[in-house]
Amino acid sequence: MESKNKPTLYWSLLKFKDLNFYIASTAKGLVFVGSQNKPFEELSEWAKKRFTGSPLVEDDEKLEPYAVEITQYLEGKRKTFTVPFNYDGTAFQLAVWNALCEIPYGQTKSYSDIAKDINKPAAVRAVGTAIGANPVLITVPCHRVVGKNGSLTGYRGGLEMKTLLLDLERQALSSNE
């Protein structure tokens, strides 16, 4: 039974080609998309910090809508997500994550671009920290943020996954032209 203070976290292992990552939601929406090929401990440790005392329940059926949209994205068939989210953060983190969602599919922005977008041009490092705290990889597209010179920089899912996601978006765009 779900209580207000300790919502049940439902989870599933999403498998797509060589990618395996855990996803989790509450009854209200998606709260976590894990890193590529990381063990279950990535999710359980995150849940202990963010949802202390909440039970973790495997439920592929409850996670199916999220898994379907993420899979469609990975197949190059989806550019935006319509599933509900249920993440929380500081006002600053939420501003950064909302700015990430405004980066068009197949394009990138720098950390300083995001800082300017949220009217905090001097907060570039804080923007990087907020991006690193993004709990829902892929769906809130922090992979679209690169260094000022265009170089690939840190990504919780690993630079290999970041490269894969950016390449996937570029290929999907070029095949639609």
Side-chain angles (χ1 to χ4, degrees):
M1 176 172 230
E2 195 138 331
S3 76
K4 185 175 183 186
N5 296 332
K6 298 182 194 290
T8 299
L9 292 177
Y10 303 100
W11 67 270
S12 182
L13 177 62
L14 192 151
K15 296 180 180 185
F16 179 81
K17 297 184 180 179
D18 293 337
L19 300 176
N20 294 304
F21 45 90
Y22 290 94
I23 58 176
S25 75
T26 63
K28 295 180 180 177
L30 189 67
V31 295
F32 182 83
V33 176
S35 304
Q36 169 184 337
N37 302 328
K38 293 284 184 177
F40 181 76
E41 286 72 32
E42 180 192 33
L43 169 59
S44 63
E45 290 301 314
W46 176 86
K48 282 179 192 173
K49 292 175 187 169
R50 301 296 293 189
F51 287 89
T52 305
S54 289
L56 274 167
V57 176
E58 184 175 10
D59 193 329
D60 295 339
E61 188 176 319
K62 277 201 186 302
L63 274 291
E64 185 176 6
Y66 308 105
V68 165
E69 286 202 7
I70 294 169
T71 299
Q72 289 170 339
Y73 167 84
L74 293 169
E75 293 171 337
K77 298 176 182 173
R78 172 175 289 281
K79 294 179 181 175
T80 60
F81 294 91
T82 61
V83 292
F85 294 97
N86 185 31
Y87 55 75
D88 65 348
T90 66
F92 184 82
Q93 287 173 326
L94 294 173
V96 170
W97 299 341
N98 288 334
L100 298 177
C101 292
E102 298 299 317
I103 303 171
Y105 182 91
Q107 296 182 26
T108 59
K109 282 193 169 190
S110 70
Y111 293 90
S112 55
D113 291 335
I114 299 298
K116 289 174 192 161
D117 288 349
I118 64 166
N119 297 315
K120 303 277 187 192
V124 177
R125 286 185 186 206
V127 163
T129 300
I131 290 171
N134 172 18
V136 284
L137 297 181
I138 301 171
T139 54
V140 172
C142 54
H143 60 275
R144 295 181 188 150
V145 180
V146 297
K148 196 169 191 169
N149 63 359
S151 63
L152 296 187
T153 56
Y155 182 65
R156 181 170 59 87
L159 290 182
E160 180 183 342
M161 186 174 179
K162 184 172 189 163
T163 301
L164 180 141
L165 296 173
L166 290 172
D167 288 348
L168 174 136
E169 291 183 10
R170 286 186 196 110
Q171 289 169 5
L173 284 176
S174 66
S175 68
N176 289 334
E177 291 178 354

